[in-house]
Amino acid sequence: MHGIMSISKTADIVLTTARLVLRPPRPDDAADLHAVFGDSETMRYWSTVPDTDLATTQERLARIIVSGPDRVAYFVIEKDGRSIGTVGAHHANEVGFILHRDYHRQGLMREAMGAIIPYLFNVIDKDRLTTDVDPDNTASVRLLESLGFTETGRAQNTYCIADVWTHSVYFALTRPD
C-alpha cells in the first residue's frame, strides 16, 4: 500500500510506500546520488556514461530540479534517510528509473513504481506511459512486464555509450479505466 501526502504546493508532493519515500529532488541529494550515477555497475544499462565526479552529478541534479518546479514528475527514492535512486517521467510520458545496485533484488523498485504509476497518470495528460530499456537488462524487462507494461517494439543501435552501441526494447502501459 502506498499513500500520497500533498503539502501546500505541487512541488512539495511526497509519495510514501511501506519502505520508501519518493520526493522531489534537492541539491543536498548530490552526494548520495553520485553513488548511483557514478557507479559503473548501476549505470550499466543507463543512456549515459557514469558521472566521473560530484560536479557532474550536481549538474545532472540541477537539470532535474529545474525541469519540474510546477508539476513534479521525477522523484528521488529515499530509504532510511538516504537517496538511493530516482524514478518518474523523464519526458512527457516516458518513465525512467534507476536504483543503486546495493538495493537491487529487494523489491524496492517494484514498490516505487507501484506508487509512481498511479501518480503519473493523475498528473500527466497522456493515455499511456512508455519506456525504453536495454533488452539485456532482464531485471528491468521483467519488472516492467510484471507491472503490466507490454512490449511495443525493438530497435538496434539506439544509444552509443563510450563507443559501444546498445539496443532498445520499448514498452507501454495504458491508463487504466
Side-chain angles (χ1 to χ4, degrees), residues 28-169:
D28 65 343
D29 290 320
D32 281 350
L33 290 181
H34 182 63
V36 175
F37 290 107
D39 181 69
S40 60
E41 184 61 29
T42 300
M43 294 287 286
R44 181 175 178 191
Y45 299 112
W46 201 249
S47 57
T48 64
V49 295
D51 293 353
T52 56
D53 53 38
L54 182 59
T56 304
T57 303
Q58 288 170 322
E59 291 170 13
R60 178 191 300 270
L61 185 57
R63 286 190 306 272
I64 294 169
I65 292 169
V66 168
S67 71
D70 297 325
R71 180 188 57 141
V72 177
Y74 206 73
F75 292 82
V76 164
I77 302 169
E78 186 179 292
K79 181 171 180 10
D80 301 326
R82 184 160 181 228
S83 303
I84 62 169
T86 61
V87 63
H90 288 290
H91 309 286
N93 64 331
E94 183 183 355
V95 176
F97 52 87
I98 191 166
L99 187 66
H100 191 280
R101 66 183 158 126
D102 290 350
Y103 297 90
H104 288 182
R105 303 189 197 301
Q106 298 174 34
L108 295 174
M109 190 52 71
R110 169 182 298 288
E111 194 171 314
M113 289 290 284
I116 201 72
I117 290 169
Y119 171 80
L120 289 175
F121 276 128
N122 282 327
V123 298
I124 63 173
D125 187 26
K126 303 288 183 185
D127 290 332
R128 67 188 196 148
L129 300 174
T130 64
T131 193
D132 171 358
V133 180
D134 185 316
D136 291 335
N137 187 348
T138 56
S140 289
V141 168
R142 283 193 311 264
L143 171 65
L144 292 166
E145 290 172 340
S146 73
L147 292 167
F149 282 78
T150 56
E151 184 177 329
T152 60
R154 290 180 178 252
Q156 299 292 309
N157 299 334
T158 52
Y159 293 100
C160 187
I161 303 159
D163 296 325
V164 176
W165 281 99
T166 62
H167 313 300
S168 291
V169 57

Side-chain angles (χ1 to χ4, degrees), residues 3-26:
I4 298 176
M5 177 177 69
S6 179
I7 305 173
S8 59
K9 301 178 297 186
T10 303
D12 292 330
I13 289 184
V14 174
L15 308 177
T16 58
T17 70
R19 299 178 290 171
L20 305 171
V21 174
L22 282 66
R23 59 164 176 76
R26 303 182 306 239

